[in-house]
Amino acid sequence: MRATPPYRLVVLGADRAWADEVAGACDRAVSAIVGLRPMIAVDRRLPESEDPADAPPHSLVVFLADRRSRRDGELLGQVARARARSLPVLPLARSAADVPSALPSALRPLHAAVWTDPGTIRAVLRLLGLVERRRRLFLSYRRQETSELALQLREHLSRRSFDVFLDRFSVPPAADFQRRIDIELSDKAFVLLLEGPSATESPWVQHEVTYALAHGISLMALTLPGVTDRERFPTVDEAFRYRLTARDLSAAGPDAPGETGVGGPPLTAAALAAVLDEIENRYARQLRQRREQLLGSLAGWLDLAGHRPTSTDNEWALVTAPPRGRAVAYLVTPRAPAPSDVRDLDRLRGPTARPGGRLPDGCLVHAARTLDPDEENLIKWIIHNRPLTTRPHHAVPDLLGLS
């Protein structure tokens, strides 16, 4: 694997102090959320010219939008070169009020971020690819005691660009409910359990938790105040719990002033912000750990089969040189395969080919046990007559002849 870190952040701005502040905040966020500081390189200028084969596969240019930078011809030239190379460019303003006056005309079509927004650093990490870009989450809850909290979390997680499954909105009429639940659990790859006093009494919640734990799906339990040891799920480790206190709950639900009513109270504004941040951090860490587990076991199986796996510029991919047959590029995903995964796999084949050799085949290894039939047929249609295939992670040993 090359010595160059696979992630590059280019911070362009006339204000050196602000550039240092942005670079430092990104470095601390990578360490806190991902725990991999050496994997990101922070540069203060874009290279004048660069062979695409030598460029980090994941790059982001942040333009610090202020009145000095918008008039700096050298900085604007670097932005133009970045866009000509199809690199993502994120305009960053100190405040929302600064956006109209600080953005150069060439960047006005782009959606700017605001430095004081708590979600900006996470947006930078998503654009870099250090954390999941497609963030999907399954809400597991019992309606009688946590429906108001579930609705509140769905609304605010959606505002943070999460795709949230909530049964009352997400299961179409006449659908096989049990099968739909299993499909969504596999696809979302992260379960947020609202652990109230009677959650263990719900067969649906019991199934969702059991399915998640049995299939390696990431999980976080949001435990309500007053839930006793006997009422908690014994199979959920304490490390995966976030405990709420009585102060975290609003005195009244939004639809019933003065009383909580059926479905329990939602969170206070302060508690909601803290919970959302905790969900974001745990989601990033757990999904990354899941990818590492998938890639590690895949590498072990390939090695046992004599396929000599080697790393690539893509952090989640391996390329093999089997004793017989063509080389294969493998890409792992912790959820059900999506068209964008197939695109990434196909793009991976070119850079992993040997000089003068044929392009390797491609195999997308996914963790989903249950697939949506329509989505599965779409993937089959996309890869038809192409040297690409998909395999569930648990079926890889059979594919390699190890069973």
Side-chain angles (χ1 to χ4, degrees), residues 7 19 119 173 197 216 234 238 258 291 307 327 385:
Y7 301 93
E238 193 63 26
R291 283 185 184 269
H307 285 211
N385 287 335

Side-chain angles (χ1 to χ4, degrees), residues 6-9 30 33-34 36 39-40 56-61 88 120-135 283-285 287-289 291-292 313-316 331-332 334-335 343-344:
Y7 301 93
R8 174 193 283 165
L9 175 66
V30 169
I33 297 176
V34 182
L36 292 170
M39 299 199 69
I40 182 171
H58 306 283
S59 298
L60 173 67
V61 176
T120 293
I121 291 296
R122 292 187 181 90
V124 169
L125 299 188
R126 285 201 304 276
L127 287 167
L128 274 170
L130 274 162
V131 298
E132 300 292 319
R133 294 188 182 185
R134 295 185 299 117
R135 303 192 297 173
Y283 188 97
R285 285 196 296 268
L287 266 291
R288 187 175 186 88
Q289 289 167 1
R291 283 185 184 269
E292 290 171 346
D313 289 333
N314 187 311
E315 191 180 359
W316 308 120
L331 183 67
V332 300
R335 54 174 64 86
R343 177 203 61 202
D344 292 343

Side-chain angles (χ1 to χ4, degrees), residues 291 294-295 298 316-317 330-334 363-366 393:
R291 283 185 184 269
L294 294 171
L295 193 70
L298 173 63
W316 308 120
Y330 291 87
L331 183 67
V332 300
T333 176
C363 182
L364 178 63
V365 177
H366 63 85
H393 179 256

Side-chain angles (χ1 to χ4, degrees), residues 28-301:
R28 289 190 296 274
V30 169
S31 179
I33 297 176
V34 182
L36 292 170
R37 274 184 177 174
M39 299 199 69
I40 182 171
V42 179
D43 295 331
R44 299 301 171 83
R45 62 178 296 108
L46 191 72
E48 293 293 334
S49 62
E50 183 172 52
D51 185 333
D54 295 328
H58 306 283
S59 298
L60 173 67
V61 176
V62 173
F63 179 80
L64 305 184
D66 57 26
R67 295 184 179 183
R68 286 175 58 199
S69 297
R70 69 170 292 184
R71 295 191 298 267
D72 190 311
E74 182 182 353
L75 292 175
L76 296 179
Q78 293 184 61
V79 169
R81 289 195 299 274
R83 299 193 71 188
R85 295 181 200 173
S86 299
L87 295 177
V89 176
L90 175 66
L92 186 61
R94 281 196 176 276
S95 68
D98 291 339
V99 172
S101 61
L103 278 186
S105 57
L107 294 184
R108 283 177 187 165
L110 303 182
H111 184 62
V114 176
W115 180 233
T116 54
D117 186 336
T120 293
I121 291 296
R122 292 187 181 90
V124 169
L125 299 188
R126 285 201 304 276
L127 287 167
L128 274 170
L130 274 162
V131 298
E132 300 292 319
R133 294 188 182 185
R134 295 185 299 117
R135 303 192 297 173
R136 300 177 174 182
L137 182 148
F138 186 105
L139 255 172
S140 179
Y141 72 110
R142 193 170 195 194
R143 290 190 184 183
Q144 292 93 322
E145 63 186 8
T146 51
S147 62
E148 292 291 354
L149 177 57
L151 288 170
Q152 182 189 41
L153 289 170
R154 177 180 181 266
E155 176 187 352
H156 288 273
L157 284 167
S158 297
R159 293 180 185 178
R160 293 196 180 200
S161 301
F162 276 88
D163 174 7
V164 181
F165 175 87
L166 191 63
D167 57 358
R168 70 167 75 178
F169 300 109
S170 306
V171 179
D176 182 328
F177 197 86
Q178 180 72 72
R179 179 167 173 76
R180 189 73 242 171
I181 290 294
D182 292 351
I183 288 172
E184 295 293 341
L185 283 164
S186 291
D187 181 54
K188 299 302 180 280
F190 188 96
V191 173
L192 178 61
L193 167 65
L194 305 188
E195 193 176 38
S198 65
T200 56
E201 300 172 11
S202 167
W204 290 109
V205 178
Q206 281 276 9
H207 171 78
E208 290 155 8
V209 172
T210 301
Y211 188 98
L213 296 176
H215 296 103
I217 296 171
S218 300
L219 183 143
M220 171 183 169
L222 193 61
T223 306
L224 271 63
V227 175
T228 65
D229 291 345
R230 181 175 295 180
E231 292 167 337
R232 292 196 297 269
F233 278 87
T235 51
V236 176
D237 190 273
E238 193 63 26
F240 297 101
R241 279 196 173 85
Y242 182 93
R243 293 177 176 273
L244 298 172
T245 69
R247 292 181 180 179
D248 294 328
L249 300 180
S250 175
D255 298 323
E259 58 183 78
T260 61
V262 176
L267 298 171
T268 64
L272 176 62
V275 166
L276 293 173
D277 286 346
E278 186 68 19
I279 292 170
E280 293 228 34
N281 290 342
R282 294 198 186 203
Y283 188 97
R285 285 196 296 268
Q286 290 189 38
L287 266 291
R288 187 175 186 88
Q289 289 167 1
R290 180 60 171 148
R291 283 185 184 269
E292 290 171 346
Q293 293 165 359
L294 294 171
L295 193 70
S297 56
L298 173 63
W301 290 329

Side-chain angles (χ1 to χ4, degrees), residues 336-348:
S340 59
D341 295 320
V342 177
R343 177 203 61 202
D344 292 343
L345 175 64
D346 196 38
R347 288 176 175 174
L348 177 67

